[in-house]
Amino acid sequence: MNSHQRIADLLKTLPIGRTVEVKGWVKTRRDAKDLSFLEINDGSCLANLQVLASPGLANFATDVKKITTGCSLRVKGELARSPAKGQEVELQAREIEVYGWAPAESYPLQKKHHSFEFLRSIAHLRPRTNSLGSVARIRSALSFAVHRFFQEQGFYYVHTPIITTSDCEGAGEMFTVTALDLDNPPRTATGRVDFAKDFFGRPASLTVSGQLEAEVYALALGRVYTFGPTFRAENSNTSRHLAEFWMIEPEMAFCDLQGDIDVAEALLKYLIAYALEHCQEDIELFNRFIDKELIAKLSGVLEQEFARISYTEAVERLQRAGRAFEFPVSWGIDLQSEHERYLTEEIFKRPLVVTDYPRAIKPFYMRVNDEKTVAAMDILFPGLGEMVGGSQREERYDMLLTRMTETGVNPDDYQWYLDLRRFGTAPHAGFGLGFERLIQFVTGMANIREVIPFPRTPGAAAL
RNA sequence: UCCCGGGUAGCUCAGCUGGUAGAGCAGGUGGCUGUUAACCACCUUGUCGGGGGUUCGAGUCCCUCCCCGGGAGCCA
């Protein structure tokens, strides 16, 4: 049951005149006088294979004539050069077996354009479309490339926990993980839910970041990375936020902020170059139908150094911009979307690294530079906003303690994290890269819900 | 969560200042053709997002709820 060939391989090797067997789903059918043309796709690549079905087939009248878009088939026959325009080769069928029908009156996918919004409502069928299939192949290729980059660079892959008991990781609202009976939870004397009686004996949540745990392994193995699902219970309704997304988080011992940025830039360029090289056909689809400038944009990113400016410089640039922003700019504010867009899209027109943000607006674990700033960095992409957020970590015990107090974090909850600074502390740095945002950039897809197979957003978790 | 804009046939959408619903595609039937988003003819399809209200009359106006899209915030 596994002797058939992938269409991707056939189109690459073109074994003309040879008998081949393919299995896949019908994309479209066209009929000529005595002939039926079936285009079948097996998901191995974007391209379809045209199958020529003639009345000589044993089941031509009984089955073949009834085949419609969506049916799954086995086809055996001879691969031949196609006499007509539109495709180089075609499969002249000697046997066609229908595995599964797809009644035309009820099969939702038609041979026409569908809105991405509609496709989202049929999450179980949408990967059979050209565009969502291409996204899936690119996503797979880039996942592999992430591992390849880090493995080549001497990083170790660490599986940080999905379920965490760190009380407040500071990265956003968390989903609670509980095994308590929600209709009748145990209560403490003061009437609150008694998590001491819960599965873990304490409150637990889904992770919002593997960073803190990755630091543990960085301070043992040197250079590590995590790449896994991350959860935020924020009520975010935008085209670039998900409640469940995948994040790449390297963490490097004996590394400062500049080294951190260097790795991030190298990684992003490696991944974009990998996609251009290995997913050419799929990217061309997006270049044709989603964004005519896509390939030029991707190539452009590879050709230039990322721009790098400090937060203070960014503020000065914005103040000199001579335009009225909805949110006025002054030193100390967090940069708003409109500010980031102005900097990346109008001033620099390429990825931009902004460093050394005000201490007062950043979390406790970022390394203090001086009275005013911390060693943080964001990488902003034109059209997307924040792709990467990272920092050098505070490795000085006393300073970390000071920062916890400053930001209202209870040191008792982070004894293990403080221990890393008590015992053999080392300068270290890391960042988080939103995998879906990368896929958005590489595909040009406007909505992040189209670049993850099963998007989870407020009010929506299909399947 | 806030601000806009939407929810009309299976899909994509039209429907002016309230008068009782339409197109293209899909689907069905027939024809034509080594076809290519095939083509030609004919045919079918609607709780006009839910609920309430104004009116002789509501897809159209008002209220409310739900959902979707864009922007904002939160961030990756």
Side-chain angles (χ1 to χ4, degrees), chain A residues 226-289:
Chain A
T226 74
F227 181 18
T230 310
F231 308 87
R232 305 267 167 99
E234 302 287 346
N235 193 2
S236 295
N237 288 289
T238 80
S239 55
R240 52 193 183 285
H241 290 265
L242 291 165
E244 177 182 298
F245 64 100
W246 285 61
M247 187 152 62
I248 299 154
E249 293 180 288
E251 196 67 37
M252 297 155 280
F254 312 111
C255 181
D256 63 8
L257 188 67
Q258 291 312 311
D260 199 34
I261 298 169
D262 291 342
V263 170
E265 179 167 347
L267 170 64
L268 284 163
K269 286 180 171 170
Y270 183 96
L271 295 174
I272 290 167
Y274 189 92
L276 282 171
E277 188 187 339
H278 293 87
C279 308
Q280 204 183 351
E281 187 190 33
D282 292 313
I283 286 181
E284 277 166 6
L285 176 83
F286 297 117
N287 196 68
R288 226 170 21 250
F289 296 114

Side-chain angles (χ1 to χ4, degrees), chain A residues 35-316:
Chain A
L35 296 170
S36 288
F37 298 90
L38 306 168
E39 283 205 30
I40 81 167
N41 184 284
D42 66 0
S44 62
C45 59
L46 177 63
N48 303 323
L49 180 63
Q50 174 165 284
V51 169
L52 189 66
S54 56
L57 291 162
N59 57 347
F60 188 75
T62 52
D63 290 341
V64 176
K65 274 295 195 187
K66 297 174 189 157
I67 291 170
T68 54
T69 301
C71 293
S72 59
L73 309 179
R74 175 182 69 83
V75 183
K76 195 171 187 175
E78 186 176 300
L79 198 72
R81 290 217 177 270
S82 175
K85 287 201 173 74
Q87 59 284 315
E88 195 174 349
V89 293
E90 63 190 19
L91 179 54
Q92 296 177 339
R94 280 201 302 274
E95 294 172 29
I96 294 182
E97 178 186 353
V98 178
Y99 286 122
W101 296 98
E105 326 79 72
S106 51
Y107 185 61
L109 293 174
Q110 305 168 358
K111 346 190 294 195
K112 59 165 279 197
H113 170 80
H114 286 104
S115 67
F116 288 122
E117 191 181 337
F118 168 68
L119 293 177
R120 227 175 282 149
S121 73
I122 48 169
H124 56 301
L125 296 172
R126 70 175 188 164
R128 298 189 192 181
T129 62
N130 287 340
S131 48
L132 275 288
S134 287
V135 167
R137 281 183 295 271
I138 289 172
R139 192 180 163 104
S140 169
L142 286 179
S143 300
F144 173 73
V146 165
H147 288 294
R148 209 174 91 167
F149 173 86
F150 284 122
Q151 299 289 332
E152 284 173 3
Q153 302 278 325
F155 284 72
Y156 293 104
Y157 181 32
V158 175
H159 295 121
T160 50
I162 306 293
I163 298 174
T164 179
T165 55
S166 290
D167 269 359
C168 59
E169 294 184 18
E173 290 297 309
M174 304 174 84
F175 288 102
T176 297
V177 174
T178 182
L180 292 176
D181 176 3
L182 293 182
D183 288 325
N184 186 26
R187 302 278 180 181
T188 62
T190 54
R192 306 197 51 136
V193 172
D194 187 2
F195 283 102
K197 295 203 172 65
D198 201 352
F199 190 88
F200 296 108
R202 55 196 292 192
S205 327
L206 294 178
T207 183
V208 293
S209 165
Q211 179 202 317
L212 301 191
E213 292 89 347
E215 285 185 52
V216 171
Y217 272 76
L219 294 173
L221 302 189
R223 313 178 100 189
V224 302
Y225 68 105
T226 74
F227 181 18
T230 310
F231 308 87
R232 305 267 167 99
E234 302 287 346
N235 193 2
S236 295
N237 288 289
T238 80
S239 55
R240 52 193 183 285
H241 290 265
L242 291 165
E244 177 182 298
F245 64 100
W246 285 61
M247 187 152 62
I248 299 154
E249 293 180 288
E251 196 67 37
M252 297 155 280
F254 312 111
C255 181
D256 63 8
L257 188 67
Q258 291 312 311
D260 199 34
I261 298 169
D262 291 342
V263 170
E265 179 167 347
L267 170 64
L268 284 163
K269 286 180 171 170
Y270 183 96
L271 295 174
I272 290 167
Y274 189 92
L276 282 171
E277 188 187 339
H278 293 87
C279 308
Q280 204 183 351
E281 187 190 33
D282 292 313
I283 286 181
E284 277 166 6
L285 176 83
F286 297 117
N287 196 68
R288 226 170 21 250
F289 296 114
I290 303 291
D291 178 1
K292 300 256 184 260
E293 305 291 310
L294 181 64
I295 292 175
K297 275 199 301 209
L298 296 177
S299 307
V301 168
L302 299 182
E303 286 157 11
Q304 286 181 292
E305 297 295 303
F306 289 6
R308 301 187 187 194
I309 61 170
S310 69
Y311 167 87
T312 302
E313 246 178 291
V315 168
E316 288 165 6

Side-chain angles (χ1 to χ4, degrees), chain A residues 352-373:
Chain A
L352 168 67
V353 189
V354 180
T355 61
D356 304 301
Y357 282 81
R359 175 174 175 165
I361 60 171
K362 288 295 183 183
F364 69 93
Y365 53 75
M366 293 187 174
R367 190 178 198 278
V368 171
N369 289 325
D370 50 44
E371 283 305 306
K372 296 178 74 178
T373 65

Side-chain angles (χ1 to χ4, degrees), chain A residues 252-459:
Chain A
M252 297 155 280
F254 312 111
C255 181
D256 63 8
L257 188 67
Q258 291 312 311
D260 199 34
I261 298 169
D262 291 342
V263 170
E265 179 167 347
L267 170 64
L268 284 163
K269 286 180 171 170
Y270 183 96
L271 295 174
I272 290 167
Y274 189 92
L276 282 171
E277 188 187 339
H278 293 87
C279 308
Q280 204 183 351
E281 187 190 33
D282 292 313
I283 286 181
E284 277 166 6
L285 176 83
F286 297 117
N287 196 68
R288 226 170 21 250
F289 296 114
I290 303 291
D291 178 1
K292 300 256 184 260
E293 305 291 310
L294 181 64
I295 292 175
K297 275 199 301 209
L298 296 177
S299 307
V301 168
L302 299 182
E303 286 157 11
Q304 286 181 292
E305 297 295 303
F306 289 6
R308 301 187 187 194
I309 61 170
S310 69
Y311 167 87
T312 302
E313 246 178 291
V315 168
E316 288 165 6
R317 292 266 199 167
L318 291 164
Q319 287 173 330
R320 283 203 313 257
R323 79 160 57 191
F325 292 108
E326 191 190 339
F327 295 88
V329 181
S330 65
W331 202 99
I333 63 147
D334 213 347
L335 262 27
Q336 307 291 313
S337 284
E338 56 171 344
H339 306 142
E340 297 180 346
R341 271 209 310 275
Y342 176 77
L343 291 168
T344 54
E345 291 166 20
E346 296 188 45
I347 299 285
F348 291 100
K349 298 181 166 45
R350 56 184 157 132
L352 168 67
V353 189
V354 180
T355 61
D356 304 301
Y357 282 81
R359 175 174 175 165
I361 60 171
K362 288 295 183 183
F364 69 93
Y365 53 75
M366 293 187 174
R367 190 178 198 278
V368 171
N369 289 325
D370 50 44
E371 283 305 306
K372 296 178 74 178
T373 65
V374 291
M377 66 101 166
D378 280 357
I379 302 183
L380 312 174
F381 267 59
L384 255 183
E386 189 176 343
M387 176 82 80
V388 165
S391 69
Q392 187 172 338
R393 317 306 188 189
E394 182 53 75
E395 86 282 9
R396 297 162 294 185
Y397 182 91
D398 291 342
M399 186 58 88
L400 183 59
L401 210 50
T402 302
R403 287 289 290 154
M404 284 180 163
T405 313
E406 266 179 34
T407 55
V409 169
N410 184 357
D412 293 343
D413 297 332
Y414 289 93
Q415 279 311 313
W416 62 270
Y417 193 70
L418 286 158
D419 262 7
L420 297 176
R421 280 74 180 167
R422 289 174 64 204
F423 308 122
T425 191
H428 63 292
F431 61 84
L433 165 60
F435 188 54
E436 283 76 17
R437 290 188 182 170
L438 173 74
I439 311 282
Q440 274 189 279
F441 187 73
V442 168
T443 58
M445 295 296 276
N447 197 316
I448 201 166
R449 294 163 204 200
E450 267 65 79
V451 299
I452 189 167
F454 303 100
R456 274 82 181 88
T457 52

